[in-house]
Amino acid sequence: MGSNSFRLEIAELVKGRYKRVDYLKETVRLGAGLDARGLLTEEATQRGLACLAQFAIKLKGFAPWQVRAVATQTLREARNRDAFLQRADRVLGHPIEVISGREEARLIYQGVSRLQPSELPRLVIDIGGRSTEMILGHGRTPQKAESFGVGSVSLSMQHFPQGRYTAENFRAAQIAAGAELEEALTLFGRHLWQEALGSSGTVGAVSQILAANGITDGCITPESLRWCIEQCIAAGSTENLNLPGLKPERKAVLGGGLSILYTLSQHFDIEALRPAKGALRQGVIFDLEERLEAARNHRLPDPRDTSVRELQQRFRVDAAHAERVRVRALALWQTLGEPAASADGEDARELGWASALHEIGMMVSHHDHHRHSSYLLGHVDASGFSQSQLRRLAALALGQRGELIKLAEHLHDTAFMSQVLCLRLATILHHARIDLPEKVATLQRVRGGRARLHLNRRWAIQHPRTIHLLDEETRRWAGQGDRQLDIVLA
């Protein structure tokens, strides 16, 4: 769900080979629907919902684990995105993830590198409606990925009002694009790559114009971009611009796209930018495949597992203790048998990740470290994770200790509150930061909206301080939680 277009890609992957089954694209221009206050207008919302309703028809019969929906810059920016997503989830019939700019860049590179393999160091550029992603990579590995807040829709709206093309407007648009992209000069310098590829709509549209007019074979060069800009200025407006190869839906955003491309070619010495075969949508499918393979074969890593380990290292987490808490929380989750848990096991994985990262806030301060952990998880870039999933991990980290009243907005979410319960009990049981007998505790769901923690009697008698903490926990759940918690010694 991009700022200019929404796309639906249905594909089969057989032994690593990619086969497109179906493809739909609608020019929604969601990015043009952000008002001066950063709110998505109702008109733009309705355009988006109408498109998703058409996509939902195509997705009938697909299981939840077969579908992944991602949204990019416009919904990263929109202040009322949660309200939009609630409506959009219902219409599509599948949850929609808002991904960070760096995650978008990583997925773009994954799509390009799988469909257009090369061993040359490469620069991949994707100009979207409201953001531009740049990625340096080698083989299938993205080595540097960044997202910049300038795109064809936003730049066209700002510098080509009413679709007017003038030399002054192009100069102003190029200066604005350069100001946004200037910080990338050292990160993506010419000496770091040997070939440049452009993915997605803007590059594809300009490439088609150049090929249709016999200017190049579709390769984008500084000279060919100057030719395109001269044609726009000569026409004077989008209404009068009639070039072979230019699709009507691209006219409104062509000025902004050309300005970004020309700025990139000049600032980064890009002599030739060739259209790439892959893009974000294919990267999302390849990433989904990796997740499914990891779920089926636990010896294969979920891409998000790698991010968790990197975060632990970055924030100097006590890995041994994090593993104690993770193993205990998942053991409690298993014995609890949460009926509302997701069928694909995502709830258990989220609990494991939250447990592994529950103490990253210790790097900031020991005091109220759970609040620091929550803030960091809610704002960090972590490959593989959507922003919505990171916010859920942040809420779990916040709920690991202290009063439950701060989780009031989540009380209706039974699976989430069960995750919180397992994480809290695991941190209490291991509060002394030592290993415990494997079967010291089990958690059971009982009738009447209650949960029962069974403890080994002999162990409990030897650990009165833990029992004291657990008694306090039962009082918190009785007064503020979504269920009663009972402690039973057996």
Side-chain angles (χ1 to χ4, degrees):
M1 295 166 57
S3 299
N4 194 51
S5 304
F6 283 14
R7 303 167 191 258
L8 171 65
E9 180 106 355
I10 299 174
E12 286 181 342
L13 286 165
V14 182
K15 296 181 179 178
R17 294 182 62 86
Y18 190 94
K19 178 185 176 183
R20 177 186 281 180
V21 176
D22 204 352
Y23 173 64
L24 291 178
K25 174 189 171 185
E26 294 288 339
T27 303
V28 176
R29 295 225 174 85
L30 198 69
L34 282 181
D35 65 20
R37 298 173 297 162
L39 298 173
L40 202 58
T41 64
E42 182 60 24
E43 182 181 0
T45 296
Q46 288 300 329
R47 290 198 302 270
L49 296 178
C51 177
L52 292 177
Q54 293 301 310
F55 287 2
I57 295 171
K58 285 282 186 181
L59 291 174
K60 281 185 178 177
F62 281 83
W65 58 267
Q66 292 176 287
V67 179
R68 189 173 178 206
V70 302
T72 60
Q73 183 66 25
T74 294
L75 289 177
R76 290 198 287 267
E77 292 183 50
R79 292 171 54 200
N80 58 341
R81 73 174 183 182
D82 290 342
F84 173 83
L85 289 171
Q86 285 180 0
R87 298 166 70 180
D89 286 355
R90 288 196 298 269
V91 170
L92 184 63
H94 297 274
I96 297 163
E97 307 172 34
V98 180
I99 56 176
S100 71
R102 283 182 177 171
E103 176 64 2
E104 182 180 353
R106 184 187 74 85
L107 291 170
I108 289 165
Y109 188 83
Q110 190 159 0
V112 172
S113 64
R114 289 282 293 268
L115 291 182
Q116 196 165 341
S118 169
E119 287 306 313
L120 292 175
R122 57 189 4 182
L123 171 67
V124 175
I125 294 170
D126 187 295
I127 301 171
R130 295 186 74 90
S131 68
T132 293
E133 281 66 48
M134 300 181 70
I135 311 100
L136 278 179
H138 190 271
R140 288 190 182 180
T141 305
Q143 296 165 326
K144 196 171 295 176
E146 292 292 345
S147 179
F148 302 92
V150 60
S152 60
V153 172
S154 55
L155 206 63
S156 295
M157 291 173 63
Q158 292 165 12
H159 295 283
F160 300 95
Q162 287 79 51
R164 291 195 300 271
Y165 291 138
T166 66
E168 291 76 15
N169 287 350
F170 271 103
R171 276 195 294 272
Q174 288 162 25
I175 289 171
E180 188 68 36
L181 295 166
E182 200 164 30
E183 64 182 275
L185 288 174
T186 55
L187 299 175
F188 300 94
R190 183 64 184 85
H191 63 288
L192 297 172
W193 49 271
Q194 294 181 28
E195 66 174 349
L197 299 173
S199 74
S200 206
T202 295
V203 170
V206 173
S207 176
Q208 288 171 14
I209 293 171
L210 296 174
N213 287 273
I215 306 302
T216 71
D217 61 355
C219 179
I220 298 173
T221 64
E223 296 78 16
S224 65
L225 288 169
R226 281 194 287 270
W227 178 86
C228 285
I229 292 171
E230 288 167 1
Q231 302 309 303
C232 291
I233 294 171
S237 69
T238 56
E239 186 179 350
N240 296 329
L241 183 64
N242 294 297
L243 286 173
L246 175 60
K247 296 178 181 178
E249 66 268 19
R250 271 283 154 188
K251 283 188 175 185
V253 298
L254 182 62
L258 286 171
S259 299
I260 296 169
L261 277 171
Y262 189 73
T263 301
L264 287 165
S265 72
Q266 296 302 296
H267 285 206
F268 296 89
D269 298 323
I270 303 174
E271 302 93 349
L273 181 71
R274 296 195 173 274
K277 292 180 180 178
L280 173 62
R281 59 191 182 277
Q282 289 91 4
V284 170
I285 289 176
F286 286 126
D287 199 61
L288 178 59
E289 178 201 27
E290 288 185 8
R291 291 185 181 187
L292 296 174
E293 286 296 322
R296 286 191 287 261
N297 183 351
H298 295 296
R299 289 176 294 180
L300 296 174
D302 185 301
R304 294 164 291 184
D305 294 334
T306 303
S307 287
V308 169
R309 286 192 295 273
E310 289 173 352
L311 288 172
Q312 285 183 321
Q313 292 168 4
R314 188 192 312 177
F315 293 103
R316 300 179 187 175
V317 168
D318 180 345
H321 181 63
E323 181 64 8
R324 286 186 204 105
V325 172
R326 187 189 72 84
V327 170
R328 182 68 57 191
L330 289 176
L332 294 172
W333 174 266
Q334 187 173 13
T335 60
L336 182 64
E338 173 56 59
S342 57
D344 58 3
E346 278 290 282
D347 288 327
R349 282 193 283 271
E350 284 177 354
L351 176 58
W353 294 321
S355 301
L357 297 171
H358 77 286
E359 287 191 340
I360 64 172
M362 288 279 196
M363 184 70 170
V364 179
S365 171
H366 187 279
H367 178 67
D368 279 350
H369 73 266
H370 61 297
R371 297 186 185 277
H372 303 307
S373 295
S374 178
Y375 180 85
L376 290 170
L377 285 171
H379 293 82
V380 75
D381 277 326
S383 295
F385 288 98
S386 66
Q387 290 185 334
S388 50
Q389 192 162 48
L390 286 170
R391 286 204 306 272
R392 189 172 176 98
L393 297 184
L396 285 170
L398 182 64
Q400 69 182 271
R401 61 188 297 187
E403 302 301 316
L404 289 166
I405 193 69
K406 61 187 174 234
L407 302 177
E409 64 180 284
H410 299 284
L411 289 179
H412 67 284
D413 188 340
T414 305
F416 176 82
M417 293 306 294
S418 292
Q419 289 172 316
V420 170
L421 176 62
C422 292
L423 178 56
R424 289 172 71 95
L425 292 175
T427 58
I428 290 172
L429 289 168
H430 290 278
H431 74 280
R433 310 182 80 84
I434 58 174
D435 294 328
L436 301 177
E438 181 182 349
K439 297 183 179 180
V440 71
T442 58
L443 189 59
Q444 177 189 12
R445 177 181 305 280
V446 294
R447 291 181 181 179
R450 306 175 79 91
R452 185 174 295 157
L453 181 67
H454 296 266
L455 291 177
N456 179 281
R457 179 183 295 274
R458 179 180 298 177
W459 178 88
I461 291 172
Q462 294 172 350
H463 294 82
R465 287 181 289 276
T466 303
I467 298 303
H468 168 75
L469 294 173
L470 288 171
D471 286 340
E472 287 187 337
E473 187 68 5
T474 62
R475 287 192 287 272
R476 285 196 177 99
W477 283 90
Q480 303 168 7
D482 70 333
R483 69 196 73 182
Q484 294 285 112
L485 174 64
D486 302 322
I487 308 295
V488 176
L489 306 184

